[in-house]
Amino acid sequence: MVLSDWFILVLACSAMSFSPGPNAMLALTTSIKSGHSKGLQLVLGGALGFAVLILCALFGLNSMVVASEQLIDWFKVIGSGYLLYLATSTWINSSKGLVEASSEVHSGYFFKGFLLALSNPKIILFWVAFIPTIVDVSTIDFSFVLILLLTFLAIEVFAEGGLVLLGAKAQKILQKHVTRIERVSAIILAGFAVLILSASQ
């Protein structure tokens, strides 16, 4: 991969990572309520999920998805269902407040971030469309895959990790409004679910 193509890759990864999405919203909300370590677990799980989707696009699973509109619709329904589940649980947990939340057993944040990243199959379609613009698909090799993944993961963790740390720094201020923040986050998650479903119409 030449330097100019890598620069285009950096721009594409930055556009994805710095734009607000369900993973970023959930990680920010978690860091405010439960601390930066839980938020960072979500970020790392999400980064791994996105990496899996990129690998799917690179190694041919995309051809199966693109060839079957019905399969795409199933992916969208499953992804939307998971987003709606997260939106509902986030809304319900917002009413518990900080005292009850602090006594909960916090586990599975990494896996939650991983599943949330996988919930949007349109990411595969983005990479399917983008990759041919920077490389001849027939020439894709291990070094290209490694550069792409490392570049994306570095930018993704930096972008969302920074958001989590920012939320944690402002934790004392934002915790006063944690119920509102969580409910806004729940609405945004539900909105993403609706957008994914509407795209299949």
Side-chain angles (χ1 to χ4, degrees):
M1 180 187 295
V2 299
L3 185 60
S4 59
D5 289 340
W6 181 76
F7 183 68
I8 294 173
L9 174 63
V10 169
L11 290 178
C13 292
S14 298
M16 290 189 66
S17 299
F18 284 94
S19 60
N23 277 77
M25 286 303 304
L26 190 61
L28 176 61
T29 304
T30 300
S31 70
I32 294 170
K33 190 168 186 177
S34 304
H36 69 276
S37 63
K38 308 302 179 185
L40 289 176
Q41 287 179 43
L42 274 166
V43 170
L44 294 175
L48 179 60
F50 290 134
V52 169
L53 293 179
I54 294 172
L55 288 174
C56 287
L58 284 171
F59 291 116
L61 290 181
N62 62 285
S63 60
M64 178 180 66
V65 174
V66 173
S68 173
E69 292 185 5
Q70 186 177 14
L71 186 58
I72 293 175
D73 288 340
W74 273 109
F75 272 118
K76 289 178 178 179
V77 169
I78 293 170
S80 296
Y82 185 65
L83 282 171
L84 288 173
Y85 161 76
L86 286 178
T88 302
S89 63
T90 299
W91 184 280
I92 292 172
N93 288 332
S94 69
S95 64
K96 292 182 178 181
L98 292 172
V99 176
E100 290 185 45
S102 63
S103 64
E104 293 175 353
V105 177
H106 297 295
S107 61
Y109 286 95
F110 182 89
F111 189 59
K112 183 182 289 188
F114 177 75
L115 289 180
L116 183 56
L118 293 181
S119 68
N120 189 352
K122 289 192 293 183
I123 293 175
I124 293 181
L125 301 181
F126 167 82
W127 286 103
V128 169
F130 173 72
I131 290 170
T133 67
I134 60 172
V135 67
D136 182 350
V137 177
S138 63
T139 65
I140 291 177
D141 56 13
F142 177 77
S143 63
F144 173 82
V145 174
L146 185 62
I147 292 172
L148 191 156
L149 285 177
L150 290 177
T151 299
F152 173 77
L153 290 174
I155 294 173
E156 178 71 11
V157 172
F158 174 79
E160 292 195 6
L163 185 63
V164 164
L165 293 177
L166 181 64
K169 286 290 184 182
Q171 191 175 38
K172 291 182 179 179
I173 299 173
L174 297 176
Q175 277 183 346
K176 298 176 182 178
H177 310 285
V178 68
T179 298
R180 292 177 183 175
I181 293 171
E182 284 197 306
R183 289 182 176 177
V184 169
S185 179
I187 292 170
I188 292 174
L189 289 171
F192 275 106
V194 172
L195 285 175
I196 291 174
L197 279 178
S198 63
S200 64
Q201 303 299 322

